[in-house]
Amino acid sequence: LWFPGDTPPAHLDGSLPADYGFDPLSLGSDPDMLAWMRQAELMHCRWAMMGVAGILVPALLTKLGAMNVPVWFEAGKVANDNSSVPFSALLMVEFLAMGFVETKRWYDIKSPGSQGDGSIFGITDDFKGKSVGYPGGTFFDPFGFSKGSEESYKTLQVKEIANGRLAMVAMVGFWAQYAATGKGPVDNLFDHIADPGHVTF
């Protein structure tokens, strides 16, 4: 449990991966809302993990001289300013693509497994996975993680959520430190290592 000795809410029975009984506002007491919020957390975790890697790796490689890319808080503006594609066109394509994916995900939550139906030239075959939010096939599970034992599968689900929650906290930290210092996390780290007494404390 997130708070030892606490009694978890009745709707959090430990059946969900990384369920530690944390829902102080009872937001998940409605089963439909709980299913949606569970999937929302999973997707936010995945985006945050990609975001953290996408911020740290290029910044570190730029700092070491292996790349030359802008810091994360300027990258979007630089990409937009140097693109021959209008921002409105990019936005429209993104709305259509993400709208399609989010609609398919919503239908999968409402009717698990229904989206692996072979439509769209067979592209959606891999949408059907072992459970909702975990599509399978060679595209979404190229290493076959979902094909292991049930215990291994559940352990990987817990690890994904735990790392995703940490990544979401890291993203908040990246935003906060940019607001405080005007620099990215790698620059802040190198500044700290160079002179922790003055820079940090």
Side-chain angles (χ1 to χ4, degrees):
L1 294 174
W2 73 279
F3 189 79
D6 189 30
T7 302
H11 59 276
L12 295 180
D13 57 4
S15 61
L16 296 172
D19 169 12
Y20 300 111
F22 182 79
D23 189 6
L25 302 177
S26 293
L27 298 175
S29 56
D30 174 29
D32 289 337
M33 183 57 75
L34 179 61
W36 174 254
M37 291 175 74
R38 184 66 186 147
Q39 294 306 311
E41 180 186 36
L42 182 61
M43 295 311 296
H44 280 85
C45 284
R46 290 172 178 168
W47 283 113
M49 287 188 285
M50 286 192 292
V52 166
I55 288 170
L56 292 179
V57 173
L60 184 60
L61 292 174
T62 297
K63 193 77 173 172
L64 298 175
M67 285 180 80
N68 184 19
V69 295
V71 290
W72 69 273
F73 46 85
E74 294 175 355
K77 182 180 183 325
V78 171
N80 188 53
D81 290 348
N82 294 313
S83 174
S84 59
V85 179
F87 181 72
S88 57
L90 175 65
L91 199 60
M92 184 55 66
V93 169
E94 188 173 326
F95 273 130
L96 291 172
M98 291 303 291
F100 168 75
V101 172
E102 286 298 299
T103 301
K104 296 293 269 182
R105 193 163 68 86
W106 173 252
Y107 280 117
D108 193 45
I109 293 169
K110 297 304 266 178
S111 179
S114 65
Q115 298 310 296
D117 56 4
S119 64
I120 320 291
F121 309 108
I123 294 171
T124 59
D125 288 348
D126 287 348
F127 283 1
K128 187 172 185 176
K130 205 166 187 177
S131 57
V132 176
Y134 298 90
T138 55
F139 186 74
F140 293 109
D141 188 14
F143 300 110
F145 290 133
S146 63
K147 293 178 176 53
S149 68
E150 196 62 32
E151 183 180 342
S152 168
Y153 180 65
K154 289 196 178 296
T155 300
L156 290 171
Q157 286 180 306
V158 171
K159 287 180 179 180
E160 180 182 34
I161 291 290
N163 282 291
R165 289 173 179 166
L166 181 62
M168 288 190 283
V169 171
M171 289 300 299
V172 172
F174 291 173
W175 293 326
Q177 73 187 102
Y178 166 66
T181 67
K183 295 182 177 181
V186 172
D187 287 330
N188 284 150
L189 177 62
F190 275 73
D191 290 346
H192 168 75
I193 292 170
D195 189 5
H198 290 95
V199 170
T200 305
F201 298 107

